[in-house]
Amino acid sequence: MSGRAPEGVGIVTVTCGLQASLRPGQEPDSLLRSSGLLREQDGAASEKEDEHVEDASAVEELRTGTGRLRRDGAWSVPQRMKVVSVTGAVKLDFSEAQLPEGAIEIELKSGTGAVRLILPEGATADISRFQPALGSFHSWVPSEQVPGHPHFVLHGVAGTGRVRVGYPGWRMRF
């Protein structure tokens, strides 16, 4: 398939602006905080986007600095995951993965890197709580959950990189 969405599936594109750079050893949260994407409340980072997560220990975290983070094949996907990338590239291919029952929640915090999420055919992704800054965000999958198919919920923030969500074989240009 090409980068075009099939009939009945819309393409969502979000583009905003931000000028910031990450210093060696600086955490992505501090970059996002300094650029106003993550707000402070009484001296502590706002956890507004995290308030729906009851048990933080049940969240599996995947993290990369300037390298590549890749998961594909028959990997076991947790119910909740947090993906943090400073300037690296992230590719999570869920098409052959072992998926849990129910919605799969992904919190994404990305600085300047590129993120590609490849979902199984028929899967859906709610992207309404995702906040990109500079860069772009494209989703080629429906957002409304379909009974009997996997459903992903994506939330978080991204700085200057690109985020792409689609199906296997789709040409998702970085």
Side-chain angles (χ1 to χ4, degrees), residues 12 103-107 117 119 123-131 137 139 141-146 150-156 165:
V12 176
I104 299 153
E105 180 181 332
I106 302 172
E107 177 184 1
L117 305 177
L119 308 186
T124 56
D126 176 359
I127 58 169
S128 63
R129 294 185 290 170
F130 185 75
Q131 302 171 351
F137 179 82
S139 177
V141 303
S143 60
E144 294 294 320
Q145 188 170 6
V146 176
H151 183 65
F152 293 77
V153 178
L154 180 65
H155 63 96
V165 181

Side-chain angles (χ1 to χ4, degrees), residues 38-167:
L38 187 62
R39 291 178 177 67
E40 300 282 333
Q41 291 180 348
D42 301 324
S46 170
E47 298 192 13
K48 187 174 184 178
E49 70 267 7
D50 295 332
E51 64 190 14
H52 58 282
V53 177
E54 292 124 23
D55 182 8
S57 65
V59 177
E60 183 176 318
E61 185 169 319
L62 302 175
R63 181 180 287 266
T64 186
T66 58
R68 294 182 186 267
L69 174 62
R70 181 178 179 147
R71 296 286 185 273
D72 55 13
W75 63 292
S76 183
V77 177
Q79 196 78 54
R80 296 182 189 133
M81 58 193 313
K82 179 177 181 178
V83 180
V84 179
S85 174
V86 179
T87 60
V90 175
K91 179 182 176 185
L92 300 178
D93 186 343
F94 299 96
S95 63
E96 297 177 14
Q98 299 168 356
L99 303 174
E101 293 293 320
I104 299 153
E105 180 181 332
I106 302 172
E107 177 184 1
L108 176 64
K109 291 187 178 184
S110 177
T112 60
V115 177
R116 186 170 15 171
L117 305 177
I118 302 169
L119 308 186
E121 289 290 340
T124 56
D126 176 359
I127 58 169
S128 63
R129 294 185 290 170
F130 185 75
Q131 302 171 351
L134 180 63
S136 62
F137 179 82
H138 297 273
S139 177
W140 286 270
V141 303
S143 60
E144 294 294 320
Q145 188 170 6
V146 176
H149 292 277
H151 183 65
F152 293 77
V153 178
L154 180 65
H155 63 96
V157 293
T160 60
R162 295 184 198 166
V163 178
R164 304 288 186 261
V165 181
Y167 295 126

